[in-house]
Amino acid sequence: MTNPYNEALGATLIERSKRETIVLVGVTLAHHTDAETEASLDELALLIDTAGADEAARLMQRRDTPDHTWFIGKGKAEELREICLAVDADTVVFDNDLSPAQQYNLEKLLGRTAIDRTAVILDIFAQNAHTLEGKAQVELALLRYRLPRLRRGATAKLSQQRGGVGARFGSGETKLEVDRRRIKNRIAKLETDLRELQATRALQRKGRARGGLTNVSIVGYTNAGKSTLLNRLTNAGVLVEDRLFATLDP
């Protein structure tokens, strides 16, 4: 039987019941150009579309270094809030990596979810992983991303959404402490499971080597045509779609 709390831990980061409205944010840091930032935001827009959401607006800023509180400057953060209100955005996505503190401060100021490119890619991975190993790897990555970002309000909301699992605490334990402990336990379990799966893969590789089979790898960026080439060469029948990260499992 599926554990609802584990489902909550591995839940994706972008709402699936509707196509969310997203504001993209890119910061041009030292030694980079605005053109590079714009190109990166264009790719992020494709990632957003793959994840099942729509870009409504974008905001860019040039800075020497990130602001430690909001990543962007306070004035830009307030401008971002006004843009979000104008387009009725559900979520803000930064092309740059956000620290847990920056993410928390932004969400508090903006009044809506703020995530970064890493979170979007993890979200897409969660949609497209189908094998036991792939699902375990994605859940592990999601949990490692979520753990330092757990806060009282977020964990309470998560429990409400998933039926209040974990509402009974141990003596003297807060809800936040319980959630952190459970996530750490789940991470440890996934790491053990993956080590066992990797050992099985190692045995399979040895078997292929003893049989004299040659290993061939096709390497390239996402959506470059690797699966299409594999199908043409071998009639493998693997999934082919014109979208980023459509194929994850080996």
Side-chain angles (χ1 to χ4, degrees):
M1 184 174 179
T2 303
N3 184 331
Y5 191 81
N6 289 344
E7 288 183 0
L9 296 182
T12 53
L13 300 156
I14 293 177
E15 176 60 41
R16 291 282 168 267
S17 60
K18 65 182 181 69
R19 286 187 71 89
E20 287 192 11
T21 302
I22 308 289
V23 175
L24 304 183
V25 181
V27 178
T28 305
L29 298 172
H31 310 301
H32 292 277
T33 66
D34 290 340
E36 289 173 333
T37 302
E38 191 74 53
S40 188
L41 284 174
D42 289 342
E43 183 182 72
L44 182 58
L46 293 175
L47 289 169
I48 290 297
D49 179 64
T50 299
D54 297 311
E55 177 190 354
R58 64 174 61 178
L59 178 71
M60 291 177 55
Q61 184 182 37
R62 171 175 285 278
R63 296 182 61 87
D64 290 334
T65 58
D67 180 84
H68 71 278
T69 304
W70 295 288
F71 200 93
I72 53 178
K74 184 177 181 181
K76 274 292 180 182
E78 292 171 347
E79 180 183 342
L80 177 59
R81 180 177 58 188
E82 295 304 313
I83 292 173
C84 290
L85 291 171
V87 301
D88 193 23
D90 301 292
T91 301
V92 173
V93 177
F94 276 68
D95 197 28
N96 315 78
D97 287 332
L98 298 174
S99 70
Q102 288 167 337
Q103 185 174 2
Y104 172 77
N105 292 330
L106 283 163
E107 290 184 342
K108 191 174 178 181
L109 175 69
L110 300 174
R112 53 198 20 88
T113 302
I115 58 178
D116 53 27
R117 175 186 278 252
T118 297
V120 175
I121 293 173
L122 287 175
D123 191 273
I124 295 169
F125 282 7
Q127 292 182 62
N128 294 328
H130 301 293
T131 64
L132 185 63
E133 186 175 11
K135 288 179 179 179
Q137 288 172 333
V138 170
E139 185 182 356
L140 180 60
L142 277 166
L143 293 180
R144 286 172 173 168
Y145 182 86
R146 288 179 186 275
L147 184 59
R149 291 167 170 79
L150 276 184
R151 294 180 185 275
R152 276 186 174 80
T155 55
K157 181 179 178 183
L158 184 62
S159 288
Q160 291 164 8
Q161 290 173 343
R162 300 288 175 163
V165 178
R168 296 178 295 276
F169 312 136
S171 176
E173 276 191 305
T174 67
K175 176 70 173 65
L176 187 59
E177 289 167 342
V178 170
D179 286 342
R180 282 178 175 157
R181 174 167 52 81
R182 286 181 171 171
I183 287 182
K184 288 177 180 178
N185 289 343
R186 181 62 179 163
I187 286 174
K189 175 67 166 57
L190 287 168
E191 288 174 339
T192 299
D193 291 346
L194 284 169
R195 280 195 294 270
E196 292 174 355
L197 288 168
Q198 287 165 359
T200 300
R201 278 191 174 276
L203 287 174
Q204 292 171 343
R205 282 195 297 271
K206 287 180 180 178
R208 291 195 297 271
R210 284 194 297 269
L213 296 176
T214 300
N215 291 320
V216 178
S217 299
I218 303 174
V219 180
Y221 191 59
T222 179
N223 207 34
K226 299 183 297 297
S227 296
T228 300
L229 176 60
L230 179 64
N231 284 341
R232 291 291 296 273
L233 291 173
T234 67
N235 295 318
V238 299
L239 174 70
V240 172
E241 290 186 6
D242 185 17
R243 62 190 182 96
L244 303 177
F245 298 112
T247 309
L248 286 180
D249 298 314

